[in-house]
Amino acid sequence: LKAELLASVNLYHMVYIFGERSADNNWNRIFLLRPILEYQPSETFRLFQSFEVLANYVDYDFEDINVTTRSFVFRKFAMTDSLRLKVLPHTWLLLDYRLQLEENGQLYWDAWSERIISTRTNQWIHGYWRYEPRPGIEINAGYTIYKRDEWRHNTDALGVTRIERAARYISQGPILRVNYFPKRSLHVFVDATRYKVSVTNQEDYYINNIEFGFRWFF
C-alpha cells in the first residue's frame, strides 16, 4: 500500500517596465492538489487511484471596462482509476478510466467570485487483454472510448443563466499494440488503431493509424 500527496502553488506576477504596456500587468496563480493511492497486495492484482484539483486564476492589475472578459479562471477536477489483474499464467486484464471536469469563467478577484462561461466533461475508458507468450514479448488487444461534452453558460438580459450544449465528441475503436524487448536496452513496438469519430452536426468518419518505432537506451 502506497499513498502520496502532491500540493503545489505557483504565483507569477507579470509587470511591464514601459508605462504604455502597464494595462497588461497581471497575476497568474496556479494551485494544485493531487492525492494518489496505490494498492498491490500480490503480483496478480494492482489498483491505482488518483484525484486532482487544479485552479488557475489570471487577474489583471487594471481592469478595462470596455473588455467583457479580461481576468479569467480555469478550474479542473480529474479522477483516474486503473486496475491490473492477472487472470492466467501469461494473461493480464487491464482497465483504465479517467474523468476530467473543466470550467472556464470570468474572474472577479476582489469579490472572489466568477461567472461561468463554459464547462466540459471528458471521459476515457480503456480495456486491454495483455498476453505475454514469453519474456520480452507483450501483445495488447483492447478497446478504447473517449467522450467529450461541452456546454455554454449564457446570461440573458434579466441575468438568468441558461446552459446549452455546445458540442459532443466521441471517439472509439479497437487497439492492437505489440511490444518486443530483444534486450534490456532495446524496445520495438507496433501500434494499430481504428477509431470511429462522431462529432455534433457532422457525419461520422474513421481514423486508421499504424505506428512502428523503437527505443534504444545507451
Side-chain angles (χ1 to χ4, degrees), residues 117-121 149-153 163-167:
I117 297 175
S118 64
T119 55
R120 290 173 298 279
T121 300
D149 292 296
E150 300 179 2
W151 292 270
R152 293 193 186 96
H153 296 244
I163 303 176
E164 301 176 354
R165 183 184 295 276

Side-chain angles (χ1 to χ4, degrees), residues 101-117:
L101 307 177
E102 300 176 347
E103 69 177 27
N104 293 84
Q106 185 176 358
L107 175 65
Y108 306 95
W109 180 261
D110 293 338
W112 189 240
S113 64
E114 71 165 322
R115 182 178 68 85
I116 298 178
I117 297 175

Side-chain angles (χ1 to χ4, degrees), residues 5-69:
L5 179 62
L6 172 64
S8 68
V9 177
N10 189 315
L11 305 177
Y12 183 77
H13 194 193
M14 171 69 77
V15 178
Y16 288 90
I17 297 176
F18 300 100
E20 58 269 20
R21 293 295 306 276
S22 61
D24 293 327
N25 294 355
N26 66 83
W27 273 97
N28 189 355
R29 304 172 175 92
I30 303 175
F31 304 92
L32 173 67
L33 181 65
R34 181 189 298 154
I36 298 174
L37 181 65
E38 182 178 353
Y39 178 57
Q40 186 172 349
S42 64
E43 294 184 355
T44 61
F45 179 84
R46 177 181 178 271
L47 178 65
F48 175 88
Q49 289 185 319
S50 70
F51 301 89
E52 178 181 308
V53 178
L54 182 144
N56 184 4
Y57 303 94
V58 177
D59 173 38
Y60 283 82
D61 294 353
F62 306 100
E63 292 291 348
D64 188 348
I65 60 176
N66 297 318
V67 179
T68 303
T69 303

Side-chain angles (χ1 to χ4, degrees), residues 132 134-138 140 177-189 215 217:
E132 301 177 3
R134 63 181 181 84
I137 298 180
E138 296 179 356
N140 299 275
R177 181 182 180 96
V178 179
N179 295 313
Y180 176 48
F181 304 89
K183 53 184 179 179
R184 296 185 60 182
S185 60
L186 182 61
H187 174 203
V188 182
F189 66 90
R215 298 186 178 95
F217 304 94

Side-chain angles (χ1 to χ4, degrees), residues 188-205:
V188 182
F189 66 90
V190 179
D191 284 341
T193 60
R194 177 177 172 83
Y195 294 126
K196 178 184 178 182
V197 181
S198 303
V199 185
T200 304
N201 299 325
Q202 296 184 23
E203 293 186 0
D204 294 350
Y205 60 93

